[in-house]
Amino acid sequence: MDSFLPSPDCDTISKTYNGQIDSHLIQKTNEGYREILPNLPRGKGWMTEHLVQYQGVWLTPNFALKGLMWVHDHFKPRSTDIFLATFPKTGTTWLKALTFATVNRTRYGFADHPLLTTVPHGCLPFLEACPNDLDGFPSPRLLSTHIPYTLLPNSMTVNQSCRFAYICRDPKDVLVSKWLFMNKLRPKELAPISLEEAFELFCQGISHYGPYWDHVLGYWKASLETPEKVLFLKYEELKEEPSVVVKRLGEFLGHPFSLEELSKGVVAEIVKLCSFENLSNLEVNKSSVLKLSTQIIIDNRHFFRKGKVGDGKSYLTDEMIKRINEITSEKLLGSGLVFGS
């Protein structure tokens, strides 16, 4: 496997999030955005007033759609790039922490690790949230994205050997976690969304980067066709055997654990550092915020709720569970994919 250089430090990434946007670089994107936006179908938003449907995918207009267009217009991928791809609320925060700790395990000690003072999202930025030039990032660049595989430019999926680590989760848990999370970010002038309304929207596919099942299947099929480029993980398996999954992740990232590291318990230390119990109790994740854009500022504590498997059943009625299970069976029929461990 390749020997990778360390990822950018958190200070560099922070500057990427908060730096000044080059108006000349994104002028083309803004013009294209203004041209297509009025003609896109609209659906009710969870965090914003509405979502727009672009090439079959539901996106927030001012953030996700514009970010996607920027990626297509300006992003220059490298063959060494590594992307953590997720649908929102499927384990993004946890996977970011594990990946950052795995790749940088020889760079930082566990006693003074950046993850102790920086939310994982501050160490691995969202691609669609970074309109600045990323050429200054050393290789391999560690980035994350919610963009469905089918919407990624060919320069990322075909013409380069970029690698993607993807994690999925039972849709019932995704729905409930997303509903609770988005209501916390919903502007006060907009009435909260009820669980019943969120359920109907989710089943219709109207949710950020949805439909959920299409998002999952896109990366699942890519993992079957090019397993050396797409690693497909399940949240439930990560919860059940985190050390096993971390070792798989390290191997895939080109950063396999040596026998000496295994004997010294390095994997266990990474799992402990990145555990829900540890991260959720850190001061930075209790009192600080993450600024994704001028409009999107999130309290870090909102990224840590329960992190449990099966919690969705505590909120959904039997009828809701039956309907989601039926949709899931229909959508996944013949794919070979089954949710859960």
Side-chain angles (χ1 to χ4, degrees):
M1 303 294 287
D2 298 333
S3 176
F4 280 79
L5 295 171
S7 63
D9 57 36
C10 296
D11 287 340
T12 301
I13 291 172
S14 177
K15 292 175 183 176
T16 299
Y17 271 127
N18 300 306
Q20 296 298 314
I21 298 175
D22 186 338
S23 59
H24 296 289
L25 182 66
I26 65 171
Q27 182 177 357
K28 174 186 174 183
T29 302
N30 284 336
E31 291 174 353
Y33 171 79
R34 288 192 293 267
E35 181 179 343
I36 69 169
L37 185 61
N39 302 316
L40 297 178
R42 291 190 174 192
K44 181 160 185 176
W46 297 46
M47 180 180 69
T48 55
E49 185 175 3
H50 64 268
L51 298 173
V52 294
Q53 190 180 45
Y54 178 75
Q55 296 187 15
V57 178
W58 291 96
L59 304 167
T60 52
N62 207 31
F63 178 77
L65 175 60
K66 189 176 289 187
L68 173 64
M69 295 180 70
W70 175 86
V71 170
H72 276 263
D73 289 345
H74 305 295
F75 180 64
K76 299 176 183 178
R78 302 172 187 167
S79 60
T80 54
D81 284 343
I82 296 171
F83 299 92
L84 304 189
T86 61
F87 187 87
K89 309 313 295 179
T90 58
T92 306
T93 305
W94 194 10
L95 186 60
K96 281 189 175 186
L98 290 170
T99 299
F100 185 82
T102 296
V103 171
N104 291 289
R105 62 183 185 269
T106 61
R107 187 180 185 187
Y108 303 116
F110 291 110
D112 57 352
H113 201 281
L115 287 171
L116 298 176
T117 55
T118 307
V119 70
H121 299 285
C123 293
L124 271 80
F126 283 107
L127 176 63
E128 51 268 42
C130 293
N132 294 30
D133 190 355
L134 300 178
D135 287 346
F137 278 31
S139 296
R141 295 182 296 190
L142 293 181
L143 301 168
S144 67
T145 185
H146 288 320
I147 298 174
Y149 193 83
T150 54
L151 285 192
L152 291 171
N154 286 340
S155 59
M156 292 174 64
T157 60
V158 178
N159 301 334
Q160 289 283 16
S161 299
C162 303
R163 279 181 276 187
F164 297 83
Y166 183 82
I167 190 167
C168 75
R169 189 180 185 185
D170 187 293
K172 297 182 288 295
D173 290 350
V174 174
L175 161 61
V176 169
S177 182
K178 188 170 187 178
W179 167 63
L180 292 169
F181 180 78
M182 293 299 179
N183 262 339
K184 293 174 182 176
L185 305 183
R186 195 168 169 83
K188 293 181 179 180
E189 60 268 22
L190 299 178
I193 291 183
S194 68
L195 176 58
E196 291 73 20
E197 188 172 14
F199 172 80
E200 288 298 330
L201 290 170
F202 189 84
C203 289
Q204 295 170 31
I206 306 175
S207 63
H208 302 73
Y209 300 93
Y212 176 61
W213 297 272
D214 295 351
H215 197 289
V216 172
L217 283 172
Y219 282 94
W220 169 251
K221 292 176 181 177
S223 74
L224 297 179
E225 294 170 359
T226 54
E228 73 283 357
K229 295 175 63 173
V230 181
L231 175 67
F232 194 93
L233 303 171
K234 297 181 180 180
Y235 184 86
E236 294 77 12
E237 292 177 345
L238 181 55
K239 287 289 291 186
E240 186 175 344
E241 294 185 302
S243 294
V244 173
V245 175
V246 168
K247 284 186 281 188
R248 283 182 60 198
L249 185 63
E251 187 75 26
F252 176 77
L253 296 175
H255 237 75
F257 292 90
S258 66
L259 292 177
E260 182 181 3
E261 286 179 312
L262 295 176
S263 66
K264 289 183 177 180
V266 174
V267 173
E269 287 288 346
I270 289 176
V271 171
K272 180 181 178 181
L273 170 68
C274 302
S275 68
F276 178 88
E277 292 73 20
N278 183 55
L279 293 181
S280 63
N281 284 302
L282 295 174
E283 184 60 31
V284 66
N285 295 326
K286 290 181 178 181
S287 59
S288 298
V289 300
L290 176 73
K291 183 179 180 180
L292 288 178
S293 70
T294 55
Q295 294 83 26
I296 304 177
I297 301 174
I298 306 172
D299 286 348
N300 289 349
R301 57 189 172 89
H302 293 332
F303 292 115
F304 305 90
R305 189 176 67 87
K306 288 185 179 181
K308 293 184 177 180
V309 172
D311 187 57
K313 295 180 180 178
S314 302
Y315 293 81
L316 304 175
T317 65
D318 291 342
E319 290 76 15
M320 288 176 170
I321 292 173
K322 179 180 178 182
R323 183 175 170 190
I324 287 189
N325 287 342
E326 289 175 346
I327 294 174
T328 299
S329 296
E330 179 182 343
K331 293 286 188 178
L332 302 188
L333 183 64
S335 69
L337 174 61
V338 177
F339 283 114
S341 56

